[in-house]
Amino acid sequence: MLVQGGIPAGGERDEDAFLTKSSFDTTVGLWRAPFGMEKINARVVRKSAGCLNYGAAFNFQELSLVPDEKSAKKHEKTALHPTPPEVVQKMIDAGRLPKPGMGPTPELRAKTRFLSVLVAEADGSDVTSTVAISGGEAGYEDTAKMVVEAALALASFPAQSSCTVHRATVGGVPGLYPSV
């Protein structure tokens, strides 16, 4: 069961703030930018971690890794000024966006890919664990698989200590998965 919420009992901390500014990450050589689903996903993950007693210091942050500053600034703009609902509706009515429930065409889903990089850092330690997950179209094709795998992982391997998890979604990175 996923429970909405996600603010720690002691209140919101600096590390709980959603990413709104982009920056260049010298470790991976890419730009870190806001990710559109972070405001939903982070709350779900944090609340679930709280229900499973992952510890008060547990945190989850989700961001996009993009190849250039121009793309990073576009992500920033979208995070700070999302498209108003009336504009989205006009785009749907004009056929520029799919109607609710329609989703991308099978052809578009067939050529769309994702890559997620998860980094876990243990508190009070230099230990960092990184894993990369890739697959098909994430919005429709692989979401159900990810939800089941995440639930099994959380149920099977409860945390023994506090940690911070960073998830980066990579799109439009040359040599990885091009944006469609």
Side-chain angles (χ1 to χ4, degrees):
M1 178 173 84
L2 296 176
V3 182
Q4 292 296 321
I7 296 176
E12 196 163 328
R13 308 163 296 185
D14 289 345
E15 60 267 28
D16 296 321
F18 298 120
L19 186 65
T20 58
K21 297 286 182 189
S22 57
S23 62
F24 188 75
D25 188 319
T26 57
T27 305
V28 295
L30 297 168
W31 284 83
R32 296 167 40 107
F35 180 67
M37 293 296 294
E38 181 191 24
K39 290 180 179 177
I40 296 168
N41 296 344
R43 286 182 174 109
V44 171
V45 171
R46 291 173 188 166
K47 185 64 175 181
S48 298
C51 290
L52 293 168
N53 298 315
Y54 270 47
F58 178 87
N59 191 26
F60 175 88
Q61 182 181 41
E62 191 168 24
L63 55 100
S64 292
L65 294 174
V66 295
D68 54 54
E69 187 175 12
K70 181 180 178 182
S71 298
K73 295 296 180 187
K74 185 175 180 180
H75 280 258
E76 262 183 43
K77 182 180 176 186
T78 302
L80 292 171
H81 306 288
T83 306
E86 61 275 8
V87 173
V88 172
Q89 187 59 53
K90 285 180 184 177
M91 293 172 75
I92 292 170
D93 294 342
R96 293 180 53 212
L97 287 176
K99 293 179 181 174
M102 297 303 293
T105 64
E107 295 79 21
L108 182 59
R109 289 195 316 265
K111 63 182 179 179
T112 303
R113 301 285 178 262
F114 77 93
L115 171 67
S116 288
V117 180
L118 296 103
V119 179
E121 301 166 337
D123 284 350
S125 170
D126 291 338
V127 176
T128 298
S129 189
T130 304
V131 65
I133 302 167
S134 63
E137 199 281 320
Y140 292 81
E141 301 286 329
D142 283 2
T143 297
K145 292 182 222 173
M146 288 185 265
V147 168
V148 170
E149 290 167 356
L152 289 172
L154 287 170
S156 301
F157 305 104
Q160 302 301 311
S161 64
S162 299
C163 68
T164 298
V165 179
H166 304 280
R167 177 178 182 263
T169 302
V170 182
V173 179
L176 292 175
Y177 294 95
S179 294
V180 177

